[in-house]
Amino acid sequence: MKNDEKITISKSEYISMKEQIAELSKKVDWFMEQVRLAKHHQFGASSEKSQYDQINLFNEAEATADEAKAEPELVEIERHYRKKAKENADRLPPDLPVEVVEHTLPKDKQKCPECGEALHIMGKDVRRELKLIPAKAVIVEHVRYTYACRDCEKNACGVPILKAPVDNPVIKGSFASPEAVAQIMTQKFVMGAPLYRQEQDFRRNGIYLSRQTMSNWLLKCSEDWLEPVYNALREILCTREVLHADETTLQVLHEPEKTAQNKSYMWMYRTSGEEQHPIVLYEYQPDRRAKHPAEFLKGFRGYLHADGYKGYHNLPEGITVVGCWAHARRKWDEALKVLPTKDRENSAALQGKRYCDGLFDIECSLQKLNSNERFQKRQELAKPLIDEFFAWLKSLNPAPKTSLGQAVHYMIKQRRYLERYLLDGRLEISNNRAERSIKPFVIDRKNFLFANTPRGAKASAVIFSIIETAKENGLNPYAYLVYIFKNAPNWDIHNNINALELLLPSNVPESCNSAAR
């Protein structure tokens, strides 16, 4: 056997090689983390719900058994029965019109088969069905009559001419109706049906309505009638003391000085959960710079829930940014998922996640308290746990580029924002309220994919704002839009603030309410 060849190297070269090996080992570990995380994103469940403190179906007996505990005594109780509760039972509104179809015997059959005498009705069976009729189109002709006086025509020098009053149309010179525009808007922004699909559906029913015409209707009605309502809601929003904010990407094809592939942004601002009349507003912007929320929230003074994006941390004095523990918890969840399954139990990632879970458990127990009581309980329960959490973080020294290192670094960097929800009982532990409000836009974005122009993106933001605010206030979006488009052209809302206020969700009639409220 041939002897292995020996190579002599200097001590400095040995140290250098050892450092290179250690560095390469760290890179391999990092790449393996990314592979495991990518596999989880592709094949695993997206839920971040903790599983490690829950009883598994397959080991429930082993986990809960206590052989040392005595058997309980059996106590006989009176047998009783309960009706099974019906959850999510189908139900129909009581005011639906009823179409009665009577099934009778033909006249020549209404004779007794035995004696031939006439039969009489002795009873009836009733079967009810839900009949769905596809939307139908109706042409509405507004015939406006003109009146004149016959006597004045014969005897007077002048003849007075009177015209019957008629409401202004939603778009002058157009055959658009309030109902048609509201239907197209709700189909696009509530049901996620792009205009080209609506065009195809209309065509199948013999109605040739191009998407260009529909686009013109949406833009015109948004700019003329919805923007004033949007601006009024924005003024009200900035008077509130607690708000939430979030943002997501949007592709705009024809944007000045930008390629179609560049990202634009849709920002979202909304009121807190304690508002009687919630407001949800979207704003299109070509980028993610911090000046946009500063301009939108001009005049606002109070607390703003946001994620860890540093743009929110440069807002004007008077706006106190409150961090999101859901984002912090997500870092620990990812750090846990990149570990091999055998290494997860008793890991630092699991411990960090359990600290976060503990804080959320405390919040769940405080939901029914008022803001003052919640503030006091947080000082007693949450604050000590947060102090313990950050003291534990200081004892860790993970590699900065690992998922665990990123989770620790994020927590330490965001500490002053994460702790701020303790300052006021009206504040929330997370910014999930904003994420839930921006989710409808994200879902619809998968259908319409992009906006064509900045003008279209702005109109979409305004329409989405009116619709989502309507939904938050328990209104039927279609009925609310019809109410606006019927009344706004006739109330001079651009010059009469009192008329404009009548269009706000808090002042609309009950006919706009949703049946599901």
Side-chain angles (χ1 to χ4, degrees):
M1 179 181 286
K2 190 176 181 179
N3 293 332
D4 293 337
E5 185 179 355
K6 294 183 179 180
I7 300 175
T8 303
I9 61 174
S10 66
K11 184 176 181 181
S12 60
E13 289 176 327
Y14 172 75
I15 294 173
S16 178
M17 289 178 61
K18 198 171 183 180
E19 290 175 350
Q20 289 180 17
I21 292 171
E23 183 67 24
L24 290 172
S25 178
K26 289 180 181 179
K27 288 183 178 180
V28 170
D29 291 341
W30 184 84
F31 280 119
M32 290 304 299
E33 284 186 358
Q34 302 311 305
V35 169
R36 283 191 286 267
L37 189 58
K39 281 186 176 181
H40 180 84
H41 287 162
Q42 186 173 5
F43 303 111
S46 60
S47 173
E48 297 173 5
K49 187 175 182 180
S50 295
Q51 301 174 354
Y52 301 94
D53 295 327
Q54 299 177 1
I55 296 174
N56 187 284
L57 177 64
F58 299 101
N59 69 347
E60 183 178 4
E62 292 84 355
T64 59
D66 186 357
E67 296 180 0
K69 191 173 183 180
E71 289 280 343
E73 294 183 6
L74 298 180
V75 179
E76 187 174 343
I77 61 172
E78 184 179 354
R79 182 177 296 176
H80 63 279
Y81 299 91
R82 290 181 182 174
K83 291 184 178 179
K84 187 177 180 180
K86 292 184 178 180
E87 295 183 1
N88 300 322
D90 297 332
R91 55 190 174 92
L92 302 174
D95 56 347
L96 274 182
V98 178
E99 177 184 319
V100 179
V101 180
E102 295 185 328
H103 302 273
T104 60
L105 286 174
K107 289 289 185 182
D108 59 341
K109 298 289 185 181
Q110 295 184 14
K111 293 180 181 180
C112 178
E114 298 292 334
C115 65
E117 290 297 318
L119 298 175
H120 71 279
I121 297 175
M122 61 169 288
K124 61 182 179 180
D125 296 325
V126 179
R127 184 183 84 240
R128 306 194 82 193
E129 298 175 340
L130 173 64
K131 181 179 179 180
L132 298 177
I133 304 172
K136 60 181 181 180
V138 177
I139 299 296
V140 180
E141 287 188 350
H142 292 272
V143 181
R144 186 181 188 185
Y145 289 97
T146 304
Y147 298 83
C149 175
R150 292 294 186 189
D151 185 68
C152 290
E153 287 177 355
K154 295 178 180 179
N155 305 315
C157 296
V159 179
I161 298 176
L162 302 178
K163 290 187 176 183
V166 63
D167 288 339
N168 293 324
V170 66
I171 301 176
K172 290 183 179 180
S174 169
F175 60 90
S177 69
E179 292 83 359
V181 179
Q183 173 71 5
I184 294 168
M185 282 186 176
T186 52
Q187 284 297 305
K188 177 176 171 64
F189 294 100
V190 178
M191 304 306 297
L195 295 184
Y196 78 88
R197 291 184 192 167
Q198 296 189 53
E199 180 186 39
Q200 293 171 351
D201 192 47
F202 283 132
R203 193 176 292 267
R204 281 189 287 268
N205 289 281
I207 302 171
Y208 292 84
L209 185 61
S210 70
R211 74 189 80 170
Q212 288 78 16
T213 298
M214 290 187 281
S215 296
N216 292 338
W217 289 1
L218 298 189
L219 290 171
K220 182 67 174 171
C221 290
S222 172
E223 292 168 354
D224 288 353
W225 314 125
L226 298 186
E227 273 195 36
V229 179
Y230 175 93
N231 291 333
L233 290 171
R234 177 179 172 180
E235 290 184 9
I236 297 173
L237 180 88
C238 290
T239 64
R240 299 301 186 251
E241 296 182 357
V242 180
L243 299 180
H244 294 253
D246 200 2
E247 76 288 335
T248 188
T249 57
L250 172 68
Q251 186 178 4
V252 180
L253 296 185
H254 300 98
E255 197 165 30
E257 300 179 0
K258 290 179 68 175
T259 64
Q261 291 74 26
N262 285 356
K263 291 181 180 180
S264 299
Y265 283 84
M266 189 68 78
W267 297 73
M268 192 283 305
Y269 309 90
R270 63 153 299 146
T271 51
S272 71
E274 295 194 350
E275 285 294 324
Q276 183 179 0
H277 297 289
I279 298 173
V280 182
L281 299 182
Y282 298 80
E283 186 195 32
Y284 156 75
Q285 289 293 350
D287 52 56
R288 203 186 183 195
R289 286 187 287 179
K291 71 174 187 177
H292 301 310
E295 292 172 357
F296 188 91
L297 298 173
K298 189 174 182 179
F300 168 67
R301 295 292 181 271
Y303 297 103
L304 179 68
H305 289 84
D307 57 27
Y309 172 48
K310 63 181 181 180
Y312 293 113
H313 303 156
N314 297 320
L315 292 175
E317 186 177 353
I319 299 179
T320 303
V321 176
V322 182
C324 175
W325 277 91
H327 280 77
R329 183 182 181 276
R330 192 167 300 145
K331 301 290 184 182
W332 294 101
D333 184 70
E334 291 181 353
L336 186 62
K337 287 174 180 175
V338 300
L339 292 175
T341 305
K342 61 182 180 63
D343 296 336
R344 293 179 182 178
E345 196 64 37
N346 300 322
S347 65
L350 180 58
Q351 181 63 28
K353 187 176 180 182
R354 281 176 172 161
Y355 271 116
C356 295
D357 290 342
L359 291 171
F360 278 95
D361 289 342
I362 292 172
E363 286 304 301
C364 287
S365 68
L366 307 181
Q367 286 182 350
K368 296 182 179 180
L369 304 182
N370 61 43
S371 58
N372 292 330
E373 293 170 336
R374 192 179 299 116
F375 171 78
Q376 294 296 334
K377 285 295 181 181
R378 283 174 177 170
Q379 304 307 310
E380 298 174 15
L381 304 175
K383 190 176 185 306
L385 185 58
I386 290 176
D387 292 339
E388 180 184 329
F389 190 5
F390 280 98
W392 173 76
L393 286 174
K394 291 180 180 179
S395 67
L396 302 178
N397 188 26
K401 293 185 178 181
T402 62
S403 295
L404 178 63
Q406 291 174 2
V408 173
H409 177 73
Y410 181 87
M411 291 290 302
I412 294 174
K413 186 177 179 181
Q414 296 287 324
R415 176 173 184 172
R416 64 172 177 157
Y417 304 109
L418 292 171
E419 290 181 323
R420 282 179 178 169
Y421 85 99
L422 301 174
L423 297 176
D424 194 307
R426 296 171 298 172
L427 303 179
E428 299 178 27
I429 191 173
S430 74
N431 197 32
N432 286 346
R433 188 174 300 277
E435 293 197 357
R436 288 193 297 269
S437 292
I438 209 167
K439 189 175 182 179
F441 174 82
V442 174
I443 293 174
D444 276 6
R445 184 183 59 195
K446 294 180 181 179
N447 293 310
F448 57 71
L449 300 180
F450 53 80
N452 194 39
T453 64
R455 184 186 177 202
K458 181 180 179 182
S460 296
V462 171
I463 298 169
F464 233 104
S465 299
I466 301 302
I467 286 176
E468 290 302 315
T469 298
K471 289 162 63 177
E472 285 281 327
N473 284 271
L475 303 181
N476 182 322
Y478 169 79
Y480 181 46
L481 288 171
V482 170
Y483 174 78
I484 293 176
F485 294 146
K486 280 187 173 181
N487 295 296
N490 300 285
W491 285 357
D492 191 24
I493 61 172
H494 298 284
N495 300 309
N496 188 343
I497 186 64
N498 294 326
L500 179 59
E501 288 180 351
L502 293 176
L503 299 179
L504 300 181
S506 56
N507 298 323
V508 298
E510 291 185 2
S511 59
C512 295
N513 288 349
S514 172
R517 188 172 186 174

